[in-house]
Amino acid sequence: MIANYGYKDGSGEYYISIDTDKCIDCAANRACLTACPKEMFEMITDDYDDEVAWVKKSNTRTLAYDCAECKPAGGHTSLPCTTACTPGAIKHSW
Amino acid sequence: MNAEVAAATVAEAAPEKKEFWRWQENVWFDETKNWKDAKVITCGIDVGSVSSQAVIVCDGELFGYNSMRTGNNSPDSAKNALQGIMDKIGMKLEDIHYVVGTGYGRVNVPFAHKAITEIACHARGANYMGGNKVRTILDMGGQDCKAIHCDEKGKVTNFLMNDKCAAGTGRGMEVISDLMQIPIAELGPRSFDVDVEPEAVSSICVVFAKSEALGLLKAGYTKNKVIAAYCQAMAERVVSLLERIGVEEGFFITGGIAKNPGVVKRIERILGIKAVDTKIDSQIAGALGAALFGYTLMQKQAKAA
Amino acid sequence: MITAGIDMGSRSVKVVLLEEIKVDGAPQLNYSVKKAHLMMPGDIDADQAAEKAFTEALAAAGVSRDQVTSVFATGAGRKQVEFATEGVTEMTAGAKGAVFMYPQARTVVDVGAEEGRGIKTDSDGKAIDFAGNEKCAAGAGSFAEAMSRALQMSLKEFGEASLRSDKSIPMNAQCTVFAESEVVSLIHSATPKEDIAKAVLDAVASRVCAMVRRVGIEGNVVLIGGMVHNPGFVASLKNAMDVDQVLLPDLPEFVSALGCALIAAERQH
Ligand code: SF4
Ligand code: SF4
């Protein structure tokens, strides 16, 4: 399952997608939990009883602001979260 | 300050507090059946921000439901919704084997055995209502919009939810209903009563779209034409959300907006796909899915025992 | 030589006339501002509004139209100013105007009714980088405006009230439309108005601040745009950005129009 957390508003589209099929047997030892300076990832048991990461509810409406520091206006080459997640389960839409 | 003067003008144009947005409330049950014949009775309760639904499922088949406006207190809303249908059919809480809560207030259904997210429940409900060919589900609620892609079993394969921004939610519709002083149920039909289909309002943001709508009125657009431009903008907005998860045939719409043809027909037009028809009230999809989950869980338990 | 800068905002048109005079042989710049023509919400005759504001500005300054050698326009509606020779972005204009007023400024925060953005500039007032949150009413002044309306206060009272609060109540709603309901329920739960006002202004400030952080906070910070008039917002912004001082120009709404006129003058040389 691809779970998209975030939103789209007048200013743009801000989604962090988690590919739960890649996330279930995490080969990176759940590295996202500690990699993100805003600690926005959390483990949950989803509706189909899989243990996967999601983006905390308190962050899903503020992603553009929360991730601002990882994404300087001058451009960024790598993000702590996507770098830490070696299985490649995490993707950003912006 | 300039901004204040401008703001005052907007405030003047705003209507007094009349309830132009009230959604229909209703109770229904299948009179051809008797719930007392059922082996397993499960219930799904969807406490949404605007309306709450309780659905009774007998042996995996829809039996009855109640849909009403959510009050300030979620536990009461859950209870009242369920009471409404139980009273109608003479059922008691003890008669129900399993209760699943869903919706934003799902944790506030005190008598529920389990809480399941509305995403999974909507997919499951849509799979029942629209059949197993349903792949793309759009749910427009009062304060959010969900786009879901599912497989033939109604299991979610891709989803997104937008509950940050009022654009593309029932609330966005209420704003135009308030502004135009036209009941929400009339918006759809009126939006087609225009000589030529206008271009969509260009702002996504409801706040700016509202100013734009005022400007269009000033420029001589009829109310209907402004509503059409606004509905088109809503439709385009929703389509952009759907595109993120991928649109496939077997398109199903749930939630309050399903009853607004002004938006629905325009979505269909943009996508070039017609939504799957259903005789069942689209607002109950979440609660129905929850009740069906309850039924599956009961069966699993029975097998294990 | 006289040049003009016109800032076509979403709510009003701002005009600045700039004259270059020679004092002891050295060029010096004088400018006059014209409080602008107000546009109604959703006004679509923006070109007429610009024309009117420009004519009024000329009359007030006692300058005839053909004395003005060049007119530059900026702002969201800059393309609608038919008599402008050229358009420049709000970033370019804002940075130029801000550095002219405060040569030591390197970070420009521009918060008007509909837009909030951070701009990084060099010592010439050339914008190097910017990040904004546009087209969402929650990222700028109109968010505060809508909430002050819900509290039945003027924006000024609202800003002042927030200064009297030392609470920080987080707001859940990120959208102007949803936040209105949240404010209404805060009123119902008897939350003091000043605490609500502060919660709202803190929310706007933190959004604006996140955008400014994307360009990096460097050197002196100057705030331009209509929100300068809101002392509560200024306090919230200082707090969010964690800086001791934010420079506040006297005529904050005109900084971009001024920048625009300055660029027009530069191009004449
Ligand atoms: S970009 Fe930074 S703040 Fe955003 S999720 Fe990744 S690590 Fe966290
Ligand atoms: S774009 Fe407008 S409607 Fe959407 S979140 Fe922003 S303020 Fe709300």
Side-chain angles (χ1 to χ4, degrees):
Chain A
M1 177 169 70
I2 312 284
N4 298 284
Y5 301 102
Y7 58 91
K8 174 174 183 166
D9 67 9
S11 74
E13 199 167 348
Y14 312 95
Y15 281 101
I16 293 182
S17 311
I18 298 182
D19 184 338
T20 58
D21 298 332
K22 289 183 180 155
C23 185
I24 293 170
D25 300 310
C26 179
N29 235 328
R30 305 296 182 201
C32 60
L33 303 187
T34 46
C36 172
K38 302 272 175 176
E39 297 179 355
M40 60 169 91
F41 298 97
E42 190 175 60
M43 297 306 297
I44 54 151
T45 307
D46 73 6
D47 293 323
Y48 305 106
D49 288 330
D50 291 323
E51 286 238 357
V52 292
W54 79 340
V55 176
K56 283 182 195 163
K57 200 76 205 139
S58 53
N59 295 101
T60 56
R61 293 177 190 158
T62 50
L63 283 187
Y65 309 110
D66 292 336
C67 295
E69 275 167 79
C70 286
K71 301 190 170 191
H76 56 90
T77 45
S78 68
L79 298 171
C81 50
T82 49
T83 309
C85 179
T86 46
I90 302 173
K91 278 202 180 70
H92 285 230
S93 72
W94 78 107
Chain B
M1 213 183 130
N2 302 352
E4 266 172 48
V5 182
T9 328
V10 180
E12 260 166 45
E16 294 110 54
K17 263 287 142 252
K18 280 192 213 134
E19 297 205 336
F20 278 109
W21 35 253
R22 194 168 270 282
W23 298 97
Q24 296 265 310
E25 305 191 347
N26 50 34
V27 190
W28 173 91
F29 73 95
D30 188 344
E31 291 173 28
T32 63
K33 287 185 197 144
N34 187 346
W35 61 265
K36 289 185 174 129
D37 299 339
K39 283 198 206 66
V40 180
I41 299 174
T42 57
C43 164
I45 300 193
D46 181 355
V47 183
S49 54
V50 179
S51 62
S52 298
Q53 290 83 25
V55 167
I56 305 286
V57 160
C58 293
D59 293 332
E61 295 295 328
L62 172 64
F63 180 73
Y65 64 79
N66 179 27
S67 173
M68 58 189 285
R69 209 171 162 85
T70 301
N72 288 330
N73 178 325
S74 300
D76 278 356
S77 302
K79 231 175 115 201
N80 293 342
L82 180 55
Q83 203 63 51
I85 175 68
M86 288 198 308
D87 285 353
K88 189 100 178 179
I89 58 178
M91 188 184 271
K92 290 199 203 62
L93 191 54
E94 303 86 80
D95 296 323
I96 302 172
H97 299 105
Y98 204 93
V99 181
V100 174
T102 188
Y104 101 112
R106 63 181 173 275
V107 288
N108 285 326
V109 183
F111 45 90
H113 298 92
K114 192 180 167 83
I116 298 179
T117 68
E118 53 268 52
I119 302 285
C121 288
H122 271 277
R124 188 67 192 272
N127 174 270
Y128 180 94
M129 292 162 79
N132 61 5
K133 57 191 179 300
V134 169
R135 287 292 171 283
T136 313
I137 301 154
L138 168 70
D139 172 56
M140 265 177 127
Q143 293 192 10
D144 64 5
C145 182
K146 304 176 199 83
I148 307 164
H149 188 274
C150 70
D151 65 14
E152 72 289 346
K153 294 200 186 86
K155 185 174 186 265
V156 180
T157 47
N158 195 337
F159 76 87
L160 69 77
M161 164 143 117
N162 200 14
D163 64 354
K164 186 250 178 183
C165 174
T169 68
R171 193 57 201 282
M173 230 47 230
E174 291 178 2
V175 167
I176 191 83
S177 151
D178 261 0
L179 188 70
M180 296 290 149
Q181 300 260 301
I182 287 172
I184 209 153
E186 278 179 36
L187 293 178
R190 272 178 178 263
S191 78
F192 293 112
D193 188 11
V194 290
D195 41 359
V196 271
E197 176 79 11
E199 254 185 61
V201 168
S202 68
S203 312
I204 287 180
C205 177
V206 173
V207 178
F208 300 150
K210 198 168 143 185
S211 323
E212 223 181 301
L214 279 174
L216 291 176
L217 275 182
K218 251 179 73 183
Y221 269 46
T222 61
K223 274 192 179 184
N224 290 358
K225 209 164 162 188
V226 176
I227 295 169
Y230 195 91
C231 285
Q232 177 67 20
M234 283 281 267
E236 286 177 8
R237 152 99 186 160
V238 168
V239 166
S240 79
L241 290 179
L242 283 170
E243 277 165 352
R244 170 136 221 106
I245 58 138
V247 184
E248 243 187 276
E249 285 280 352
F251 175 45
F252 195 80
I253 304 179
T254 66
I257 291 284
K259 291 181 189 154
N260 184 334
V263 177
V264 171
K265 290 218 175 98
R266 287 181 173 84
I267 295 174
E268 292 178 333
R269 195 143 79 197
I270 303 171
L271 291 177
I273 299 180
K274 264 196 74 61
V276 176
D277 256 341
T278 172
K279 287 191 197 68
I280 309 169
D281 184 336
S282 62
Q283 280 202 81
I284 67 158
L288 173 60
L292 293 169
F293 262 111
Y295 180 66
T296 312
L297 287 165
M298 285 297 291
Q299 279 181 311
K300 268 193 202 159
Q301 279 180 13
K303 253 187 223 157
Chain C
M1 178 186 72
I2 299 176
T3 59
I6 299 190
D7 180 1
M8 288 292 290
S10 48
R11 297 279 180 80
S12 57
V13 191
K14 276 87 58 175
V15 180
V16 166
L17 296 171
L18 183 79
E19 185 179 19
E20 195 180 296
I21 50 166
K22 293 257 177 351
V23 181
D24 301 331
Q28 194 182 321
L29 294 164
N30 268 342
Y31 59 92
S32 82
V33 305
K34 172 62 195 162
K35 185 85 167 188
H37 180 66
L38 195 67
M39 292 191 290
M40 286 306 127
D43 211 329
I44 46 176
D45 302 326
D47 46 341
Q48 284 169 32
E51 175 62 40
K52 188 152 178 258
F54 187 47
T55 319
E56 284 170 9
L58 291 172
V63 173
S64 76
R65 203 169 183 126
D66 43 9
Q67 280 176 278
V68 181
T69 48
S70 166
V71 181
F72 274 34
T74 187
R78 63 177 175 274
K79 295 206 176 79
Q80 279 159 294
V81 188
E82 274 161 23
F83 53 91
T85 19
E86 219 170 298
V88 294
T89 66
E90 297 96 304
M91 288 50 90
T92 311
K96 190 79 198 173
V99 172
F100 176 76
M101 291 180 134
Y102 298 102
Q104 73 279 30
R106 292 296 172 273
T107 306
V108 182
V109 185
D110 182 359
V111 191
E114 297 199 350
E115 284 155 353
R117 64 175 77 86
I119 311 162
K120 184 187 199 153
T121 164
D122 66 11
S123 56
D124 295 329
K126 205 167 150 276
I128 304 170
D129 218 343
F130 77 94
N133 180 18
E134 281 158 36
K135 303 203 167 80
C136 166
S142 61
F143 182 79
E145 233 170 65
M147 302 312 130
S148 66
R149 232 178 297 143
L151 280 175
Q152 299 182 319
M153 290 168 119
S154 75
L155 198 53
K156 188 158 172 282
E157 289 166 347
F158 189 76
E160 285 161 359
S162 94
L163 290 174
R164 293 195 296 273
S165 164
D166 54 6
K167 296 241 167 49
S168 27
I169 309 172
M171 291 210 57
N172 293 318
Q174 294 292 322
C175 166
T176 314
V177 179
F178 294 142
E180 276 176 29
S181 331
E182 193 173 337
V183 164
V184 170
S185 61
L186 284 172
I187 298 172
H188 285 164
S189 65
T191 311
K193 284 189 173 187
E194 48 271 24
D195 294 345
I196 302 177
K198 179 154 179 291
V200 168
L201 292 171
D202 280 349
V204 182
S206 88
R207 286 173 209 146
V208 170
C209 178
M211 289 303 126
V212 184
R213 288 197 191 283
R214 292 191 60 197
V215 299
I217 301 170
E218 232 176 74
N220 281 302
V221 179
V222 51
L223 175 64
I224 64 173
M227 285 298 272
V228 172
H229 295 300
N230 191 317
F233 174 73
V234 175
S236 295
L237 185 69
K238 262 193 221 163
N239 194 15
M241 289 179 62
D242 199 16
V243 292
D244 299 328
Q245 196 197 14
V246 172
L247 300 166
L248 306 173
D250 287 338
L251 293 162
E253 302 97 324
F254 290 90
V255 177
S256 296
L258 172 62
C260 208
L262 286 163
I263 296 167
E266 269 176 12
R267 300 270 174 93
Q268 297 272 300
H269 286 294

